[in-house]
Amino acid sequence: MSDSPWFDALRGILDRSHLWTPDDITPTVNAALAGLGIQVRIWLIDHEQVALRTLPDTGRILPVDSCPAFTLVSSRPEGDRLWVPMVDGTDRLGVIEFLPAPPEVERCEMIAGLVGHLIGTIAERGDLIESTRRTRPMSPAAELLFRLLPPLTSSTDRLVTSAVLQPCYEVGGDGFDYAHDDTTAALLILDAVGHGLPAGLACAVALSAVRATRRAGGGLAEQARAADAALLEQFPDSRFVTAVLAEVDLAGGRLRYLNAGHPAPLLLRDGTMMRELTGGRRMPLGIEDDTPIAEEALEPGDRLLFYTDGVTEARSADGDRFGLPRLVDLIEKHESAGLPTPETLRRLAHAVLEHQDGPPADDATLMLVQWSATAASNTVPTAGRTVREEQTT
Amino acid sequence: MTDHSLTVTTRAVGERVAVLTVSGEIDRASREVLATAAADVLEQGRHRLVLDLTGLEFCDSSGLSLFVELHRRTLALAGGLRLGGARPLVATVILATSLDRLLRLHPTADAAVDAALRDD
């Protein structure tokens, strides 16, 4: 079959995308695919990653657990229709339902890939994408924070980084950042003292100071000192931020990190927990201190789990802490199931939430990094996957 | 999470030392109780503070940041802050954040008071 109707469809979507609003997306895609006799329904994931909702919202709800196209990032036929993951890069935005199911799965993934990218770029220019993804209002602190954060998931040929923050409509003091560049992955997790907007502001100050210094070429110690200075200047009440700052050399696997009063990251190898990375300790950001840098040699396939104490300190109604052993046990279990990294994290975050019977007392953030070409390719929709050899040097 | 969860009593030792006996839980709601008590003592001219933590059952990061703030304020007044008698749970929180590099911990309140009296 000729590709030209598909090319025409892509062109129809792109041509309209310069001037469209979020309301136009579904009608535009449908108009573009009309020549192929296909209709679509676009589903967006909610922020809590529990259910998918149509764009525009029609009240229909699709539970995530019944949608493997989303959870496994893999296209699935179901009866007369085809479910295709919709990602922006590798950040899971939702799924597109194609009806009737065309035989050209890769072509559908191409359309979904384009629509995913375009939704990613338009999401901040109108409110409809965001309001469709919200099941309740966001606190000002969470609104501030999410504007600062990079996408929850990002992959390159060599590694994948994925994060989850809970409670997603009220987070304030927790944050994360990463920068995937050619030779280095920079990683950051943060937890500011207190709750709500004051904590969110401290987190924003620390994150911005670290990011600005990193983008100016500053190393880990310099980034930490910049955050110290910015926090000291802004918060005379000794508000501090615990954090881990790290960088991975993507050719050789050398990990360098410092830990400013934060829970030690975990190193997982071959599916099991190796150890906590307890080096590089100094006081929290905002309290000037020596800044020792610790080093660790990663092996191909290794995973690093960064978390805030809201994860391990989460308590059930009868006071039982979620705790580190339970966290390790769950992540080992999901590793053996071979789930895509963002799906492992989604399930971990929900396990923490379910452990607490009431509203969470603290922000809980998880960031999982896997230095693996296979893990990275698992975050890309199936038919387009080209599995590359694992890095060996 | 009410501010009644924390009680602070104050006593003077010698000319310059004040001991604040802290009982209950410090969190973001209750930290003001200790902040106010400490501010009163500093205003009265006692700049060497000892926090007797023997009765402290819980301390979150808001409490830790108050300790850091009191450390800085007393130092600026040529005084100082010492913590005594922290229970394992509270000591763990301080160690986990590496704040033992800043805050001076003593096994008992008496040891903290002795050290504060020797600060000359």
Side-chain angles (χ1 to χ4, degrees), chain A residues 193-195 232 237-238 240 261 281-284 286-287 289-290, chain B residues 28 31 61-62 64-65 68-69 72 95-99 101-102:
Chain A
V193 164
H195 295 271
L232 275 166
D237 62 349
S238 302
F240 59 73
R281 293 197 69 87
R282 50 152 284 169
M283 288 194 280
I287 304 169
D289 196 3
D290 298 334
Chain B
R28 69 192 141 125
R31 63 168 261 163
S61 60
S62 321
L64 295 183
S65 78
V68 173
E69 186 181 343
R72 286 177 174 160
L95 293 173
T97 47
S98 298
L99 284 171
R101 293 166 56 81
L102 184 77

Coordinates of all heavy atoms in Angstrom, one line a residue, chain A residues 193-195 232 237-238 240 261 281-284 286-287 289-290, chain B residues 28 31 61-62 64-65 68-69 72 95-99 101-102:
Chain A
V193 N 12.3 21.8 53.5 CA 11.7 21.8 54.9 C 10.2 22.3 54.8 O 10.0 23.3 54.1 CB 12.5 22.7 55.8 CG1 11.6 23.0 57.0 CG2 13.8 22.1 56.2
G194 N 9.3 21.7 55.5 CA 8.0 22.3 55.6 C 7.1 21.8 54.5 O 7.4 20.8 53.8
H195 N 5.9 22.5 54.4 CA 4.9 22.1 53.4 C 4.3 23.3 52.7 O 4.6 24.4 53.2 CB 3.8 21.3 54.2 CG 4.3 20.0 54.8 ND1 4.3 18.9 54.1 CD2 4.8 19.8 56.0 CE1 4.7 17.9 54.9 NE2 5.1 18.5 56.1
L232 N 20.2 30.9 51.5 CA 20.6 31.8 52.7 C 20.1 33.2 52.4 O 19.6 33.9 53.3 CB 22.1 31.8 52.8 CG 22.7 30.7 53.7 CD1 24.2 30.6 53.5 CD2 22.3 30.9 55.1
D237 N 15.0 32.4 57.8 CA 14.6 31.5 58.9 C 15.2 30.2 58.8 O 14.7 29.2 59.3 CB 13.0 31.4 58.9 CG 12.5 30.8 57.6 OD1 13.3 30.7 56.6 OD2 11.3 30.4 57.6
S238 N 16.4 30.1 58.1 CA 17.1 28.8 58.1 C 16.4 27.7 57.4 O 16.5 26.6 57.8 CB 17.5 28.4 59.5 OG 18.3 29.3 60.1
F240 N 15.9 25.0 54.9 CA 16.9 24.2 54.2 C 16.2 23.2 53.3 O 15.0 22.9 53.4 CB 18.0 23.6 55.1 CG 17.5 22.7 56.1 CD1 17.0 21.4 55.7 CD2 17.5 23.0 57.5 CE1 16.6 20.5 56.7 CE2 17.0 22.1 58.4 CZ 16.6 20.9 58.0
G261 N 22.3 15.9 53.2 CA 21.3 15.5 54.3 C 20.1 14.7 53.8 O 19.0 14.8 54.5
R281 N 28.5 12.8 51.9 CA 27.6 13.5 52.8 C 28.0 14.9 53.2 O 29.2 15.1 53.6 CB 27.3 12.6 54.0 CG 26.6 11.3 53.7 CD 26.0 10.7 54.9 NE 24.8 11.5 55.4 CZ 23.6 11.4 55.0 NH1 23.3 10.5 54.0 NH2 22.6 12.1 55.5
R282 N 27.1 15.8 53.2 CA 27.2 17.1 53.8 C 25.9 17.6 54.4 O 24.9 16.8 54.3 CB 27.7 18.1 52.7 CG 26.9 18.1 51.4 CD 26.9 19.5 50.7 NE 26.0 20.4 51.4 CZ 26.0 21.7 51.2 NH1 26.8 22.3 50.3 NH2 25.1 22.5 51.9
M283 N 25.9 18.7 54.9 CA 24.6 19.2 55.5 C 23.6 19.6 54.4 O 24.1 19.8 53.2 CB 24.9 20.3 56.5 CG 25.5 19.8 57.8 SD 25.5 21.0 59.1 CE 26.9 22.1 58.6
P284 N 22.4 19.8 54.7 CA 21.4 20.2 53.7 C 21.8 21.5 52.9 O 22.5 22.4 53.5 CB 20.1 20.4 54.4 CG 20.2 19.5 55.6 CD 21.7 19.6 56.0
G286 N 21.6 25.2 51.8 CA 21.1 26.3 52.7 C 21.9 26.4 53.9 O 21.8 27.4 54.7
I287 N 22.7 25.4 54.2 CA 23.6 25.4 55.4 C 25.0 25.2 54.8 O 25.3 24.1 54.4 CB 23.3 24.4 56.4 CG1 21.8 24.6 56.9 CG2 24.2 24.5 57.6 CD1 21.3 23.4 57.7
D289 N 28.6 24.1 54.0 CA 29.4 23.0 54.5 C 30.4 22.6 53.5 O 30.3 23.0 52.3 CB 28.4 21.8 54.8 CG 29.0 20.7 55.7 OD1 30.1 20.9 56.1 OD2 28.3 19.7 55.9
D290 N 31.4 21.8 53.9 CA 32.3 21.2 52.9 C 31.4 20.3 51.9 O 30.3 19.9 52.3 CB 33.3 20.2 53.6 CG 34.1 21.0 54.5 OD1 34.3 22.2 54.4 OD2 34.6 20.3 55.5
Chain B
R28 N 5.6 21.3 62.1 CA 5.4 22.7 61.7 C 4.4 23.5 62.4 O 4.4 24.7 62.5 CB 5.1 22.7 60.2 CG 3.8 22.2 59.8 CD 3.7 21.9 58.3 NE 2.9 20.7 58.1 CZ 1.8 20.6 57.3 NH1 1.4 21.7 56.7 NH2 1.2 19.5 57.1
R31 N 6.1 24.1 66.2 CA 7.5 24.7 66.4 C 7.5 26.1 66.9 O 8.4 26.5 67.6 CB 8.3 24.6 65.1 CG 7.7 25.5 64.0 CD 8.7 25.6 62.8 NE 9.4 26.9 62.9 CZ 10.5 27.2 62.3 NH1 11.2 26.3 61.6 NH2 11.1 28.4 62.4
S61 N 11.3 18.0 60.0 CA 12.3 18.9 59.5 C 12.0 20.4 59.9 O 13.0 21.2 60.0 CB 12.3 18.8 57.9 OG 11.1 19.1 57.4
S62 N 10.8 20.7 60.2 CA 10.5 22.1 60.7 C 11.2 22.3 62.0 O 11.7 23.4 62.3 CB 9.0 22.3 60.9 OG 8.2 21.7 60.0
L64 N 14.0 20.7 62.9 CA 15.4 20.8 62.6 C 15.8 22.2 62.2 O 16.8 22.7 62.5 CB 15.8 19.8 61.6 CG 15.7 18.3 61.9 CD1 16.2 17.4 60.8 CD2 16.4 18.0 63.2
S65 N 15.0 22.8 61.3 CA 15.3 24.1 60.8 C 15.2 25.1 61.9 O 16.0 26.1 61.9 CB 14.4 24.5 59.6 OG 13.2 24.9 60.0
V68 N 18.5 24.9 63.7 CA 19.6 25.6 62.9 C 19.4 27.1 63.1 O 20.4 27.8 63.3 CB 19.5 25.2 61.4 CG1 20.4 26.1 60.6 CG2 19.8 23.7 61.2
E69 N 18.2 27.6 63.1 CA 18.0 29.0 63.2 C 18.4 29.5 64.6 O 19.1 30.5 64.7 CB 16.5 29.3 63.1 CG 16.1 30.8 63.0 CD 14.6 31.0 62.9 OE1 13.9 30.1 62.5 OE2 14.2 32.1 63.2
R72 N 22.2 29.7 64.7 CA 22.7 30.9 64.1 C 22.5 32.1 64.9 O 23.4 33.0 65.0 CB 22.1 31.0 62.7 CG 22.6 30.0 61.7 CD 21.9 30.2 60.4 NE 22.5 29.3 59.3 CZ 21.8 29.0 58.2 NH1 20.6 29.4 58.0 NH2 22.4 28.2 57.3
L95 N 21.1 12.9 62.6 CA 22.2 12.3 62.0 C 21.9 12.1 60.5 O 22.7 12.2 59.6 CB 22.5 10.9 62.6 CG 23.1 11.0 64.0 CD1 23.2 9.6 64.7 CD2 24.4 11.7 64.1
A96 N 20.6 11.7 60.2 CA 20.2 11.4 58.8 C 20.4 12.6 57.9 O 20.6 12.5 56.7 CB 18.8 10.9 58.7
T97 N 20.2 13.8 58.5 CA 20.4 15.0 57.7 C 21.8 15.6 57.8 O 22.0 16.7 57.3 CB 19.3 16.1 58.1 OG1 19.4 16.2 59.5 CG2 17.9 15.7 57.7
S98 N 22.7 14.9 58.5 CA 24.1 15.3 58.7 C 24.2 16.6 59.5 O 25.2 17.3 59.5 CB 24.8 15.6 57.3 OG 24.9 14.4 56.6
L99 N 23.1 17.0 60.2 CA 23.1 18.2 61.0 C 23.9 18.1 62.3 O 24.1 19.1 62.9 CB 21.7 18.7 61.3 CG 21.0 19.3 60.0 CD1 19.5 19.6 60.3 CD2 21.7 20.7 59.7
R101 N 26.8 17.8 62.2 CA 28.0 18.6 61.8 C 27.9 20.0 62.3 O 28.9 20.7 62.3 CB 28.3 18.5 60.3 CG 28.7 17.1 59.8 CD 28.6 17.0 58.3 NE 29.4 17.9 57.6 CZ 30.7 17.8 57.4 NH1 31.3 16.8 57.8 NH2 31.4 18.7 56.7
L102 N 26.7 20.4 62.6 CA 26.5 21.8 63.0 C 26.0 21.9 64.4 O 26.5 22.7 65.2 CB 25.4 22.5 62.1 CG 25.1 23.9 62.3 CD1 26.2 24.8 61.6 CD2 23.8 24.3 61.7

